[in-house]
Amino acid sequence: MKTKAKKKDKVNIVTLGCSKNLVDSEVILTQLKGNKVNTTHESAKDDANIIIVNTCGFIDNAKQESIDTILRYADAKEKGQIDKLYVTGCLSQRYKDNLEIEIPSVDAFFGTMELPLLLRKFNADYKHELVGERITTTAQHYSYLKIAEGCDRPCSFCAIPLMRGKHVSKPIEQLVKEAKSLAKNGTKELLLIAQDLTYYGLDIYKKRELSELLKHLSDVEGIEWIRLHYAYPTGFPMDVLDVMAERDNICNYLDIPLQHGSDKVLKLMRRGITRAKTEALIDTIRGKVPGVALRTTLIAGHPGEGEEDFEEMMRFVEKSRFERLGIFTYSHEEDTHSHSMKDDIPPEVKQERANRVMDLQERISLELNEEKIGKTFKVLIDRKEGGDFIGRTEFDSPEVDNEVIISAEKNYLRVGDFANILINDATEFDLFGEPV
């Protein structure tokens, strides 16, 4: 009598949260495939019998999305639609003990630094020869490069050190090896990420070495754009600006989360900087790197933020005229310093303040975008969508910033290529143009 052959396992990795989590998922994907495990990432097909959920635990909304996703797959497991469910990432790191009790159908929970333990569930070994190699899940022409893990900053509102631990820099030679591998596989744009870029090197080289790292990465053949994300303002290494100005393939773009514009709230947040010092830093950056696009993020509704503090933040935004800006409403995170304060601002007030900031920023963004009309920019084509090509200038990062929309009619552009685009129209968040 013939017996039915057992279906081979297929793993699907589901990623939630930020680009740093995405890199972690790409590492898991690379290690599993390197161990001959059939693995996909965010598969549209419903044919995987094993699910790995890489969670986010940053703020309330992200935590809820992670929990909802775990519960959805836990329900699928109970219905026999999948065989195994594993959970990793920040939420799992932070709440592992509680999650094991609340969602017992999950086969195992893993912290952010427990990849070897996760691999063992697949009878797989951590392959050191794959360090520096990575299967990317983004468009082929751009990749994230995580240069460090964890954070040593004392920000009162932030739970990242609880989930990611202390700052640990990756050695320059390892990052260069990874950049060369990415470039060989078609990457043209490197997006440098970390919890804090500007702390890079202090732990392993005993001094800030972001500028030295940039020089080495800038020399990698095939890398045409390098973009800097998440630079902390306090103790900003000024020599980075010199390298940005000198090297043509380092984008005139800097993501520098500032969080607030009120001295009182900055002190409550334990940011180690004042508004005056922040404004002096902005002036220095713009003076040393002419034309630089500054992206920042702010928080509305931190405990103790009065209406005058908020108005001061509004004046700060008006004066600074950031090219890109996002804002979060404050999330009261347990085990952080701010959690000891009373969360004294109602949710609707937090949201109303955030909306007011974004209304102001939309006006500023429109004015800055309209200044680009009639000018030609180098644009990286990200994708084709309907009858249009969609791309970005050096002043814009994928997914979070402006896009350039180019009619595909009679154009012979290709995704992943650069093109010179004449801007002929603009809105608050998009530019429109044609090849020249």
Side-chain angles (χ1 to χ4, degrees):
M1 184 177 72
K2 291 184 178 180
T3 57
K4 188 175 180 181
K6 183 183 177 183
K7 187 178 178 182
K8 287 188 176 182
D9 288 336
K10 184 174 182 179
V11 182
N12 185 32
I13 302 169
V14 178
T15 304
L16 304 168
C18 67
S19 55
K20 294 179 283 292
N21 253 23
L22 180 65
V23 171
D24 291 344
S25 288
E26 291 174 344
V27 171
I28 296 170
L29 176 67
T30 304
Q31 286 286 337
L32 286 174
K33 280 185 171 287
N35 279 275
K36 309 299 183 186
V37 179
N38 185 11
T39 311
T40 60
H41 180 263
E42 300 283 4
S43 175
K45 297 180 181 179
D46 210 10
D47 58 349
N49 67 315
I50 300 176
I51 303 295
I52 300 172
V53 181
N54 189 1
T55 58
C56 178
F58 181 47
I59 56 176
D60 285 342
N61 290 343
K63 288 188 285 188
Q64 190 60 54
E65 181 186 19
S66 292
I67 291 168
D68 290 344
T69 302
I70 297 168
L71 290 173
R72 185 170 75 249
Y73 285 109
D75 182 61
K77 184 188 173 192
E78 289 171 4
K79 291 178 179 177
Q81 296 167 350
I82 62 173
D83 297 324
K84 296 283 185 180
L85 174 59
Y86 300 113
V87 176
T88 186
C90 290
L91 188 81
S92 184
Q93 172 75 30
R94 193 174 176 192
Y95 299 108
K96 181 178 179 180
D97 292 344
N98 291 338
L99 290 169
E100 286 176 337
I101 295 169
E102 296 295 330
I103 317 178
S105 53
V106 172
D107 292 278
F109 291 90
F110 300 94
T112 55
M113 307 302 289
E114 294 183 327
L115 175 56
L117 297 180
L118 173 59
L119 293 174
R120 283 183 206 167
K121 295 294 182 180
F122 301 89
N123 295 317
D125 297 319
Y126 182 82
K127 293 186 175 293
H128 291 277
E129 63 270 25
L130 292 177
V131 173
E133 302 289 328
R134 181 154 52 90
I135 299 170
T136 58
T137 59
T138 55
Q140 188 178 26
H141 54 275
Y142 70 83
S143 303
Y144 294 98
L145 184 67
K146 189 195 287 190
I147 70 169
E149 187 59 87
C151 187
D152 285 358
R153 303 291 188 174
C155 303
S156 64
F157 55 85
C158 186
I160 286 175
L162 301 173
M163 300 178 286
R164 291 285 178 174
K166 291 286 189 178
H167 180 101
V168 180
S169 302
K170 291 184 181 179
I172 289 176
E173 57 271 20
Q174 180 181 331
L175 292 167
V176 170
K177 178 183 176 183
E178 187 171 347
K180 287 180 177 178
S181 174
L182 291 168
K184 185 178 178 181
N185 290 324
T187 293
K188 298 178 181 179
E189 177 185 14
L190 286 178
L191 300 103
L192 270 57
I193 56 173
Q195 268 72 39
D196 176 10
L197 286 186
T198 51
Y199 205 86
Y200 177 80
L202 267 175
D203 55 323
I204 56 176
Y205 302 119
K206 308 309 175 189
K207 59 179 179 176
R208 298 176 191 271
E209 286 284 45
L210 180 58
S211 61
E212 193 65 24
L213 172 63
L214 287 174
K215 292 174 187 176
H216 283 82
L217 294 176
S218 177
D219 289 336
V220 174
E221 187 176 353
I223 299 300
E224 297 192 46
W225 278 359
I226 297 172
R227 189 179 301 280
L228 304 182
H229 282 280
Y230 319 124
Y232 197 91
T234 306
F236 187 94
M238 295 300 181
D239 55 351
V240 168
L241 303 177
D242 297 326
V243 179
M244 289 179 70
E246 291 166 4
R247 303 289 178 118
D248 289 338
N249 62 347
I250 301 178
C251 294
N252 285 348
Y253 177 99
L254 187 62
D255 184 341
I256 182 166
L258 299 173
Q259 311 303 2
H260 217 279
S262 156
D263 283 350
K264 186 187 96 176
V265 178
L266 287 169
K267 186 174 182 179
L268 289 172
M269 289 179 166
R270 302 170 79 183
R271 293 288 288 173
I273 199 168
T274 63
R275 174 174 169 178
K277 289 181 178 178
T278 300
E279 290 178 342
L281 175 60
I282 291 170
D283 289 343
T284 300
I285 294 170
R286 286 176 167 159
K288 288 199 168 191
V289 188
V292 66
L294 292 181
R295 174 177 180 79
T296 196
T297 48
L298 303 172
I299 295 175
H302 186 277
E305 179 192 73
E307 183 62 32
E308 177 52 37
D309 301 306
F310 173 72
E311 291 296 339
E312 189 174 346
M313 180 161 67
M314 289 283 284
R315 291 191 292 272
F316 172 64
V317 172
E318 179 78 73
K319 180 180 178 181
S320 301
R321 292 179 66 80
F322 296 104
E323 283 74 14
R324 309 286 177 257
L325 184 147
I327 188 164
F328 294 97
T329 55
Y330 170 77
S331 178
H332 206 46
E333 296 296 313
E334 58 265 41
D335 299 322
T336 63
H337 183 78
S338 291
H339 197 261
S340 64
M341 309 175 199
K342 184 180 179 182
D343 188 12
D344 56 353
I345 301 172
E348 60 273 16
V349 175
K350 294 177 186 177
Q351 191 59 57
E352 186 268 339
R353 289 177 179 176
N355 291 344
R356 283 165 63 188
V357 170
M358 287 312 300
D359 287 344
L360 170 58
Q361 181 60 33
E362 284 185 20
R363 174 176 63 76
I364 293 169
S365 294
L366 178 60
E367 291 169 359
L368 294 174
N369 278 351
E370 287 177 337
E371 291 175 5
K372 293 180 170 65
I373 295 174
K375 298 177 181 177
T376 298
F377 296 91
K378 181 180 178 180
V379 170
L380 180 56
I381 307 300
D382 279 334
R383 66 189 187 278
K384 189 176 181 183
E385 201 171 89
D388 299 319
F389 285 103
I390 312 295
R392 292 173 290 112
T393 68
E394 69 173 299
F395 310 115
D396 296 289
S397 195
E399 299 182 7
V400 296
D401 290 329
N402 284 18
E403 293 182 320
V404 181
I405 301 169
I406 310 144
S407 173
E409 186 179 359
K410 296 182 181 178
N411 289 337
Y412 300 97
L413 304 176
R414 293 190 308 175
V415 173
D417 281 356
F418 289 93
N420 291 320
I421 303 297
L422 173 66
I423 304 303
N424 53 34
D425 201 2
T427 64
E428 295 92 333
F429 302 117
D430 290 306
L431 300 170
F432 299 82
E434 58 187 32
V436 293

